[in-house]
Amino acid sequence: EPPKQALLLLVAHAPGSLLPTIRSRCRRLVLQPLAADLVDKVLGEALPDLGETERRSLVEIADGSPGRAVALAAAGGVELHAEIEDLLGQLPRLDFGKVHALADKINRAKGARDGFATLADLLDQWLGRAVKRAALGNARQSRTYLAARDRCRHLFDRQDAVNIEKKQVLLNVFSAIEQAARDG
């Protein structure tokens, strides 16, 4: 048992998956992302040499998190985000020549693990936004994208756990996204 004056903070991204006995003993504190102007200010202070265009792009893709913006800046996130948007802008059919080129680029890059993790994060973000967009007008497509997001998360987790070839994981992820776009 913790001491009487103890304050324990439990962080959960999916509180519904916690045991009811734990949830019943907790008070929920929902934290919202920071406003874009605050993220911009923090990013400007943290990385003063960053160009304005890149800083604005980072603010947009950081989803209210200055720490994420800094990490994306260090990992070439703006360039990767632009490549993802270019590729996925062709849905429902993808140019798998470009997908192969991107996967090869990630494999060859210095710090390929970081590039792969950044790409996985950005693809997960894209899928999350696709789920939300589809939920506004097409429940079936929303479910399809949600299933694709779950599949992609599983593939990324398996790659990390058992060291599967990164290129093959990326090809499977992009195939799952393409299939979701066609099925929706």
Side-chain angles (χ1 to χ4, degrees), residues 8-19 22-23 26-31:
L8 302 175
L9 296 176
L10 177 64
V11 178
H13 297 285
S17 65
L18 295 173
L19 292 173
I22 293 174
R23 284 195 319 263
C26 293
R27 181 176 296 172
R28 189 169 182 187
L29 174 64
V30 178
L31 302 174

Side-chain angles (χ1 to χ4, degrees), residues 62-184:
D63 284 340
S65 171
R68 184 166 190 249
V70 170
L72 286 167
V78 171
E79 181 184 331
L80 272 176
H81 183 264
E83 287 184 67
I84 290 169
E85 289 295 321
D86 179 53
L87 272 170
L88 298 179
Q90 302 169 10
L91 287 170
R93 298 277 184 226
L94 291 177
D95 178 345
F96 273 89
K98 287 184 178 181
V99 173
H100 276 274
L102 177 59
D104 288 338
K105 176 182 166 184
I106 293 296
N107 276 337
R108 285 191 313 267
K110 183 179 177 184
R113 178 161 171 69
D114 294 336
F116 182 80
T118 302
L119 183 58
D121 178 49
L122 290 170
L123 285 168
D124 184 66
Q125 178 188 42
W126 187 93
L127 281 162
R129 289 177 176 175
V131 169
K132 288 176 186 174
R133 279 191 309 271
L136 297 174
N138 185 337
R140 180 173 182 261
Q141 187 177 40
S142 181
R143 287 190 301 273
T144 303
Y145 273 124
L146 187 58
R149 187 181 193 195
D150 288 344
R151 169 136 173 76
C152 293
R153 283 180 170 177
H154 175 75
L155 287 167
F156 287 129
D157 288 345
R158 293 300 300 155
Q159 190 288 321
D160 193 42
V162 296
N163 200 25
I164 300 169
E165 169 72 32
K166 289 178 178 71
K167 181 175 182 176
Q168 188 59 51
V169 169
L170 291 174
L171 293 174
N172 287 335
V173 163
F174 279 101
S175 291
I177 293 170
E178 182 184 59
Q179 188 65 46
R182 281 192 272 140
D183 290 349

